[in-house]
């Protein structure tokens, strides 16, 4: 079950000649009687010797890469900042064949306090054959004694995307599918203070800039601007008893977030949003964890298309094309079994149900979006998983590659 290692080795094979040439300047000998390579002015080395040395170097590099990944999830209490890198090819239904790279770091702001949770940060990038590219950084900084938490996510992406319109009925009609180019920048920052044990409260700020271009059928936007600017403050309340932030085995996580996008702040559209999450994690047998999430995003006012509630993508109802179903409001529930199999390998099975809707009184059973899927997990670092998921939805399915659990 070393598919991620093998993928990285494939990249190394391609890059190996460049790496070798960078390590030692070489010049070819043109002697017909003595074919080989002259190294730093020394006598020619026979070609068969060069081949043997090259083969040995290849094996050594492969061995070092395998040793690197074998050691990447070892505890390193002596290191103030433990960082590891992973990269390789991947495929998703949305972005097609791509190449991703993640630098994941784990550190502690209070090394002498073993009760303070570890902080984490990830620098991630991606590009694909569809023209998609992404660059971002996200993390959770835990202050000493867990008195404060700083959560942040910053990214930019360009994505040749698809659009079906707004509302369930528009998204369910295959004839509405249209191509357009989407560019989006997002900055989200939260600073939370512990009020009582496990309860955190604090301000947040969010910035979004969404651009839609080259739409084949602009009528689907129903007169809304293709460029939208959104900035606004808010607040968040969290109750968190999870044993680990990125891969919990036990505990609960409750969150309420409120955001305000007023017109006087320069927003093109004035609206506000309320987001709710309720997650639970329970160990059910050896290596088995049941994780449950109930989630809802409710918008009020004049909501632009780029800020509407959606399903699909890497976290919510995996398997649906992200943004195909969009409306003012969204609600979903997911139950997932996470099972450790052997060493650093595991699998997950999940099932869920969700819906997008303009108002609660307009919600109908026919608008339900079922979801289920299966995934593979590889422990890249201690309690940090790389995941490959294949999800199924109503008349569609999708493959996803990401880091950390969906919730």
């Amino acid at each position: 079950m070393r598919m991620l290692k093998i993928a990285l080795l494939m990249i190394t094979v391609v890059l190996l000649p460049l790496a070798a040439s960078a390590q030692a300047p070489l010049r070819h000998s043109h002697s017909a009687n003595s074919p080989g390579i002259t190294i730093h002015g020394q006598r020619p080395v026979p070609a068969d010797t060069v081949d043997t040395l090259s083969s040995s170097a290849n094996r050594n590099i492969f061995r070092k890469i395998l040793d690197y990944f074998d050691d990447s999830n070892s505890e390193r209490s002596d290191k103030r900042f433990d960082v590891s890198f992973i990269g390789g090819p991947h495929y998703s239904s949305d972005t097609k064949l791509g190449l991703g790279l993640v630098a994941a770091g784990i550190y502690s702001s209070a090394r002498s306090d073993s009760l303070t949770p570890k902080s984490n940060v990830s620098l991630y990038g991606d590009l694909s054959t569809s023209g998609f590219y992404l660059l971002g950084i996200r993390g959770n900084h835990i202050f000493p004694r867990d008195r404060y938490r700083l959560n942040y996510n910053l990214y930019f992406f360009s994505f040749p995307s698809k659009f079906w319109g707004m509302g369930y009925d528009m998204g369910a009609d295959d004839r509405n599918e249209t191509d357009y180019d989407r560019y989006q920048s997002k900055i989200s920052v939260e600073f939370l203070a512990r009020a009582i044990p496990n309860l955190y409260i604090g301000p947040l700020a969010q910035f979004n800039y969404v651009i839609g271009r080259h739409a084949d059928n602009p009528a689907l936007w129903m007169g809304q601007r293709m460029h939208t600017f959104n900035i606004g403050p808010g607040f968040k309340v969290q109750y968190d008893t999870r044993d680990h932030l990125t891969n919990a085995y036990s505990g609960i996580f409750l969150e309420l977030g409120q955001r305000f996008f007023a017109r006087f702040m320069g927003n093109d559209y004035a609206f506000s949003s309320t987001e709710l999450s309720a997650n639970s994690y329970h160990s059910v047998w050896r290596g088995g964890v049941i994780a449950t999430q109930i989630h809802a995003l409710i918008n009020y006012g004049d909501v632009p298309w780029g800020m509407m509630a959606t399903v699909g993508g890497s976290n919510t109802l995996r398997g649906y094309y992200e943004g195909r179903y969009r409306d003012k409001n969204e609600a979903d529930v997911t139950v997932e079994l996470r099972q450790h199999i052997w060493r650093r390998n595991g699998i997950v099975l999940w099932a869920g149900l969700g819906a997008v809707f303009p108002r609660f009184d307009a919600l109908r059973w026919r608008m339900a979006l079922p979801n289920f899927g299966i995934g593979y997990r590889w422990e890249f670092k201690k309690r940090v998983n790389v995941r490959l998921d294949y999800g199924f939805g109503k008349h569609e399915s999708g493959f996803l590659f990401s880091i950390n659990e969906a919730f």
Side-chain angles (χ1 to χ4, degrees):
M1 303 290 286
R2 291 187 171 187
M3 61 174 64
L4 294 175
K5 299 180 186 179
I6 293 172
L8 197 58
L9 289 176
M10 293 169 60
I11 297 174
T12 306
V13 170
V14 176
L15 299 179
L16 187 60
L18 297 177
S21 63
Q23 290 175 359
L26 308 177
R27 70 174 185 268
H28 290 278
S29 169
H30 299 286
S31 170
N33 298 324
S34 183
I37 297 177
T38 301
I39 304 178
H40 299 301
Q42 303 297 321
R43 63 182 180 82
V45 179
D48 57 346
T49 303
V50 173
D51 291 340
T52 302
L53 292 173
S54 177
S55 177
S56 176
N58 289 356
R59 287 194 299 270
N60 289 339
I61 290 177
F62 292 164
R63 183 69 261 170
K64 288 179 180 179
I65 292 174
L66 289 175
D67 290 343
Y68 172 79
F69 283 112
D70 284 339
D71 190 52
S72 63
N73 73 331
S74 301
E75 294 282 1
R76 293 184 174 89
S77 58
D78 60 319
K79 296 188 68 173
R80 189 174 186 87
F81 188 84
D82 179 17
V83 62
S84 297
F85 300 86
I86 187 170
H90 64 87
Y91 179 87
S92 76
S93 303
D94 296 0
T95 60
K96 307 307 178 186
L97 183 64
L99 180 65
L101 177 65
V102 176
I106 296 177
Y107 62 97
S108 176
S109 61
R111 300 180 66 188
S112 60
D113 181 8
S114 61
L115 298 179
T116 299
K118 292 291 185 69
S119 302
N120 65 87
V121 59
S122 297
L123 177 65
Y124 52 97
D126 204 345
L127 55 89
S128 77
T129 56
S130 69
F132 167 81
Y133 59 88
L134 163 73
L135 183 63
I137 182 172
R138 64 184 174 216
N140 310 98
H141 179 79
I142 310 299
F143 288 80
R145 287 183 280 180
D146 202 7
R147 290 181 297 180
Y148 305 99
R149 293 184 172 187
L150 176 66
N151 307 319
Y152 54 91
N153 191 12
L154 305 82
Y155 65 77
F156 168 80
F157 71 77
S158 172
F159 183 22
S161 189
K162 297 182 183 295
F163 192 77
W164 283 260
M166 291 167 275
Y168 170 82
D169 291 330
M170 297 291 285
D173 191 342
D174 292 336
R175 296 172 298 179
N176 290 332
E177 180 182 329
T178 189
D179 294 326
Y180 79 107
D181 294 331
R182 175 170 178 155
Y183 306 88
Q184 181 166 348
S185 298
K186 180 178 179 178
I187 302 174
S188 178
V189 181
E190 306 163 0
F191 185 76
L192 308 179
R194 188 178 64 203
I196 59 175
N198 303 318
L199 181 66
Y200 302 84
I201 303 174
L204 62 82
Q206 184 171 311
F207 164 83
N208 278 278
Y209 187 48
V210 184
I211 302 175
R213 291 178 178 168
H214 311 128
D216 291 345
N217 185 6
L220 292 173
W221 275 258
M222 302 176 66
Q224 287 200 11
R225 298 176 184 176
M226 298 290 287
H227 297 202
T228 62
F229 173 87
N230 306 280
I231 185 170
F235 66 87
K236 180 164 284 190
V237 181
Q238 284 184 354
Y239 181 76
D240 189 1
T241 66
R242 293 174 296 175
D243 63 327
H244 200 276
L245 270 63
T246 57
N247 185 11
Y249 296 164
S250 63
I252 63 173
F253 176 75
L254 307 176
E255 182 177 79
L256 166 66
Q258 181 67 49
R259 299 172 180 84
F260 305 93
F261 300 92
R263 193 175 293 275
F264 73 85
M265 299 186 68
N267 292 291
D268 299 320
Y269 297 86
F271 70 103
S272 60
S273 67
T274 302
E275 189 165 15
L276 301 158
S277 293
N279 303 355
S280 67
Y281 308 87
H282 301 280
S283 295
V284 289
W285 51 69
R286 183 175 181 180
V289 175
I290 293 289
T292 304
Q293 180 181 65
I294 301 173
H295 172 263
L297 176 59
I298 311 299
N299 287 302
Y300 317 89
D302 190 13
V303 188
W305 66 274
M307 294 292 289
M308 284 187 168
T310 64
V311 299
S314 182
N315 298 99
T316 305
L317 300 189
R318 287 157 283 170
Y320 285 94
Y321 191 100
E322 185 173 10
R324 172 167 185 165
Y325 295 96
R326 69 176 67 225
D327 211 322
K328 292 183 70 172
N329 310 307
E330 180 271 336
D332 64 90
V333 58
T334 301
V335 179
E336 182 169 277
L337 170 63
R338 302 170 180 173
Q339 180 63 56
H340 174 257
I341 300 298
W342 178 68
R343 293 191 177 179
R344 297 163 71 174
N345 305 284
I347 62 170
V348 303
L349 299 168
W350 79 85
L353 188 69
V356 297
F357 49 95
R359 306 177 312 278
F360 280 96
D361 61 4
L363 189 57
R364 299 291 183 269
W365 180 251
R366 67 176 181 83
M367 300 163 65
L369 298 169
N371 179 231
F372 63 95
I374 185 171
Y376 165 73
R377 297 293 181 269
W378 183 70
E379 191 178 49
F380 168 46
K381 298 183 68 65
K382 203 69 176 177
R383 303 292 285 272
V384 177
N385 286 340
V386 172
R387 58 185 171 101
L388 293 87
D389 290 332
Y390 196 87
F392 300 85
K394 184 183 288 187
H395 310 305
E396 64 177 319
S397 61
F399 179 83
L400 296 162
F401 168 88
S402 189
I403 192 167
N404 290 328
E405 298 298 336
F407 58 88

